[in-house]
Amino acid sequence: MGWGDAEGMLWTRGLLWERVWNAVGNFLFKFLVIGSAGTGKSCLLHQFIENKFKQDSNHTIGVEFGSRVVNVGGKTVKLQIWDTAGQERFRRETYNSLAAWLTDARTLASPNIVVILCGNKKDLDLEREVTFLEASRFAQENELMFLETSALTGENVEEAFLKCARTILNKIDSGELDPERMGSGIQYGDASLRQLRQPRSAQAVAPQPCGC
Amino acid sequence: MVVQAKKRELKEAQRRKKQLEERCRLEESIGNAVLTWNNEILPNWETMWCSRKVRDLWWQGIPPSVRGKVWSLAIGNELNITHELFDICLARAKERWRCFSTGGSEVENEDAGFSAADREASLELIKLDISRTFPNLCIFQQGGPYHDMLHSILGAYTCYRPDVGYVQGMSFIAAVLILNLDTADAFIAFSNLLNKPCQMAFFRVDHGLMLTYFAAFEVFFEENLPKLFAHFKKNNLTPDIYLIDWIFTLYSKSLPLDLACRVWDVFCRDGEEFLFRTALGLLKLFEDILTKMDFIHIAQFLTRLPEDLPAEELFASIATVQMQSRNKKWAQVLTALQKDSREMEKGSPSLRH
């Protein structure tokens, strides 16, 4: 995807699904933040968790994590965020390590995975290379939600995460999503073992989780 | 109230005095160590480096002024890289930067298979990552004193090993070497370090082999910390979650830099085994709190270790880690697992889809 490499306006894709957190009506939603190197994935996460811009940040090696409890439509939702490394080759490894829940989610729930496309670095408007219209069209064609965000100013960052959460809750309410079923489908227990037995060709399936 | 204030003041003065004494003692012992390294060990390297006395001194941390020298000797130069070879690789890298920055497309044919676009992307990524390597030190960033050195080493390496190229994590390793060695020597140490089997497996992202390393790690994890191991299993916390960062950057990103250098000290001597032993030392040090945490808190904790991690406590913890499992050493466990996974691949065609 060419837009991942554009300077200035860069794009981060977020992917998410959920499983039951506990039996009293609380949910645990899992977010996976993916995108090219230097697009601001970790900064988005940091802004969302800490409410400030992360100056002087290292690049992520492997995965980093964040979590936050939010209230969406009167429900308590715990967000668990997996923030991945950006380099293509490296990312593949991250996905492989997440393969258990990723493949489970894709096979069991792929139509229901909620994806939001974030055009980050909105504050660098002068260096913009992708217009809002182009990006919106792309999102529409690929059935993604779309927001332009700025991890620097915080604009739309919270909104992006909450929008995802709200969409999932709506899908659960409407019956479109069955958390029980999805919860049972997600196991990471024997992930390594399973992968050890898989031939190498199977690994290539992992890196494109949202099919866009 | 005045009495109390005075008491506090006195206490504070005592504390400061003690701190100062501690510091003097430390400096004296470092001074003595420097003398021993310079006058006794380095001139007699071949005969002395594996002696008991040197090993003990080594474990306490190599003094910064001789650290680079000792690392170079311990890492060795199996690849026989000369300063001239470094100059050639660097010249080639510079040619490439010039060529891409002027938009020229004169591409040599010799490393066919690596497209110009790939190489350009990798050059761009190096530039981006340098700015994000120890940014708080402000020495590797554009305009900083070590920026060009870091750029040179990473660039030269992509010309030296186009089959490996630049992989995220490398910039941290090169940076730590630069802090201790001159550019060409840092390049030699860098290339030889990355050529070690474990580093090659990781930087080439050889997934199968990486899993074998994780599996070997788990053997020793279970052996050393059975309760924590069970807790991690129950929480589906696989070792890749924390080991990837630790192994790729050799702890330089996750530990305070001076502590990371101490890990490097022993790693240069003992090899890959020490990286996994350090991981177990860390888990052991924090076993009590980790046992009380759930998945996300463990994951967050291990991927962002406390900044004030105490060096002596960590090394004391590492020292208690047993790198033997049923009479098998690390290398033997690893080899056995490698053999298993190869046979599994060969012997089960039904799983090959």
Side-chain angles (χ1 to χ4, degrees):
Chain A
M1 286 294 124
W3 40 263
D5 305 327
E7 257 173 51
M9 284 298 292
L10 293 160
W11 307 94
T12 297
R13 289 172 285 177
L15 164 75
L16 147 170
W17 59 92
E18 76 298 320
R19 77 175 180 164
V20 174
W21 177 14
N22 63 34
V24 291
N26 293 328
F27 293 103
L28 171 65
F29 291 0
K30 291 187 183 175
F31 281 61
L32 177 63
V33 187
I34 57 178
S36 297
T39 47
K41 297 177 290 299
S42 301
C43 290
L44 277 177
L45 173 62
H46 196 261
Q47 175 64 255
F48 179 62
I49 304 287
E50 306 282 339
N51 257 317
K52 53 184 179 227
F53 180 63
K54 192 178 186 188
Q55 210 90 46
D56 292 342
S57 63
N58 287 321
H59 46 288
T60 306
I61 311 292
V63 199
E64 285 173 16
F65 296 86
S67 68
R68 196 180 134 183
V69 176
V70 293
N71 198 297
V72 187
K75 289 200 177 75
T76 307
V77 178
K78 192 174 185 182
L79 307 185
Q80 185 186 98
I81 304 149
W82 296 50
D83 168 30
T84 67
Q87 189 178 11
E88 180 98 19
R89 166 159 39 163
F90 203 68
R91 219 187 304 160
R92 212 156 274 153
E93 172 52 31
T94 315
Y95 293 156
N96 281 329
S97 77
L98 307 179
W101 55 279
L102 206 55
T103 38
D104 277 357
R106 225 187 288 105
T107 48
L108 286 170
S110 62
N112 296 321
I113 286 175
V114 176
V115 183
I116 186 162
L117 174 71
C118 295
N120 195 32
K121 308 195 187 182
K122 185 173 192 290
D123 48 281
L124 294 178
D125 212 29
L126 286 174
E127 294 168 55
R128 176 187 283 276
E129 292 192 5
V130 182
T131 65
F132 180 81
L133 206 65
E134 281 176 291
S136 312
R137 202 174 302 135
F138 175 87
Q140 210 167 17
E141 281 163 9
N142 291 280
E143 291 176 21
L144 313 168
M145 291 186 288
F146 170 63
L147 271 181
E148 287 192 338
T149 57
S150 167
L152 180 68
T153 66
E155 188 181 346
N156 275 342
V157 173
E158 179 127 347
E159 183 55 22
F161 286 92
L162 294 184
K163 199 171 176 170
C164 268
R166 228 175 288 126
T167 309
I168 293 177
L169 273 178
N170 287 342
K171 285 194 172 189
I172 292 172
D173 285 344
S174 70
E176 217 178 309
L177 277 181
D178 180 359
E180 292 292 340
R181 180 172 164 234
M182 299 193 42
S184 67
I186 295 168
Q187 328 164 317
Y188 0 36
D190 57 347
S192 326
L193 198 70
R194 206 182 319 169
Q195 282 174 43
L196 206 59
R197 288 199 185 115
Q198 266 170 9
R200 317 201 89 240
S201 60
Q203 291 159 18
V205 188
Q208 288 278 311
C210 56
C212 55
Chain B
M1 233 154 73
V2 178
V3 178
Q4 255 183 348
K6 274 211 162 138
K7 236 184 187 169
R8 245 201 323 266
E9 224 169 81
L10 197 71
K11 237 184 179 166
E12 179 61 16
Q14 275 173 338
R15 198 185 58 83
R16 247 180 269 152
K17 192 169 164 233
K18 218 174 141 193
Q19 226 172 23
L20 196 70
E21 281 171 0
E22 191 77 26
R23 214 184 148 76
C24 286
R25 216 174 354 213
L26 192 73
E27 269 169 27
E28 201 188 311
S29 87
I30 292 176
N32 287 339
V34 172
L35 286 178
T36 314
W37 280 100
N38 271 328
N39 300 340
E40 295 175 39
I41 307 169
L42 289 174
N44 307 297
W45 180 257
E46 288 305 325
T47 51
M48 275 192 86
W49 78 273
C50 53
S51 71
R52 182 81 245 164
K53 182 189 159 190
V54 174
R55 286 182 69 88
D56 287 345
L57 200 60
W58 203 319
W59 182 267
Q60 286 155 28
I62 302 169
S65 62
V66 288
R67 187 165 255 154
K69 185 95 190 105
V70 177
W71 284 0
S72 283
L73 284 166
I75 294 167
N77 188 4
E78 232 184 358
L79 298 166
N80 288 316
I81 299 172
T82 58
H83 286 206
E84 288 71 37
L85 181 60
F86 169 65
D87 290 338
I88 293 167
C89 292
L90 181 57
R92 203 178 275 189
K94 282 184 172 160
E95 177 62 26
R96 223 165 253 179
W97 296 331
R98 199 188 53 75
C99 167
F100 281 122
S101 65
T102 55
S105 57
E106 32 166 319
V107 181
E108 322 96 274
N109 299 324
E110 53 190 302
D111 17 84
F114 306 99
S115 75
D118 275 356
R119 261 183 274 153
E120 189 174 7
S122 144
L123 291 182
E124 282 299 311
L125 189 58
I126 290 176
K127 226 163 72 186
L128 176 68
D129 282 353
I130 286 177
S131 70
R132 305 187 294 170
T133 303
F134 299 123
N136 47 336
L137 296 182
C138 301
I139 50 177
F140 296 109
Q141 286 57 48
Q142 188 89 50
Y146 293 134
H147 170 270
D148 293 350
M149 277 171 84
L150 186 51
H151 204 189
S152 298
I153 290 179
L154 296 174
Y157 188 76
T158 59
C159 292
Y160 175 63
R161 289 299 298 263
D163 57 324
V164 180
Y166 170 73
V167 183
Q168 288 191 319
M170 284 183 181
S171 66
F172 290 95
I173 296 181
V176 173
L177 289 168
I178 286 169
L179 292 174
N180 291 283
L181 287 161
D182 292 337
T183 316
D185 289 326
F187 177 76
I188 294 170
F190 181 75
S191 308
N192 280 282
L193 205 62
L194 294 195
N195 199 48
K196 297 190 181 293
C198 175
Q199 274 57 48
M200 259 304 139
F202 277 73
F203 279 106
R204 298 189 93 143
V205 199
D206 180 339
H207 190 63
L209 202 47
M210 284 167 76
L211 285 175
T212 310
Y213 274 101
F214 297 145
F217 169 78
E218 287 199 297
V219 168
F220 291 92
F221 186 0
E222 187 169 21
E223 188 92 18
N224 279 278
L225 303 158
K227 252 177 60 192
L228 190 64
F229 180 77
H231 181 67
F232 275 34
K233 278 273 173 217
K234 201 182 83 198
N235 283 281
N236 298 313
L237 205 118
T238 49
D240 49 349
I241 285 173
Y242 47 95
L243 282 184
I244 284 183
D245 176 78
W246 294 353
I247 303 297
F248 266 96
T249 66
L250 303 174
Y251 295 95
S252 57
K253 183 169 159 282
S254 39
L255 294 180
L257 201 52
D258 51 339
L259 186 48
C261 284
R262 282 196 59 186
V263 171
W264 279 49
D265 288 344
V266 189
F267 161 64
C268 289
R269 184 189 73 186
D270 293 358
E272 63 186 40
E273 172 181 329
F274 191 71
L275 298 176
F276 296 94
R277 194 172 169 202
T278 302
L280 292 171
L282 279 163
L283 295 177
K284 195 167 181 175
L285 183 61
F286 296 113
E287 182 173 20
D288 290 343
I289 39 174
L290 289 171
T291 320
K292 294 187 188 82
M293 292 180 181
D294 61 359
F295 171 86
I296 187 68
H297 290 104
I298 300 171
Q300 273 176 298
F301 184 90
L302 294 178
T303 51
R304 212 174 313 133
L305 292 168
E307 276 164 31
D308 53 352
L309 214 139
E312 292 317 317
E313 281 174 45
L314 175 60
F315 269 78
S317 174
I318 296 172
T320 63
V321 171
Q322 284 298 323
M323 288 310 268
Q324 276 217 9
S325 168
R326 297 195 190 92
N327 275 329
K328 274 189 177 164
K329 291 188 175 146
W330 169 262
Q332 293 169 305
V333 170
L334 190 72
T335 313
L337 284 167
Q338 253 172 297
K339 217 176 116 211
D340 284 355
S341 80
R342 264 200 303 267
E343 270 165 20
M344 208 135 69
E345 237 172 74
K346 247 190 278 167
S348 50
S350 59
L351 289 167
R352 303 189 133 214
H353 287 290

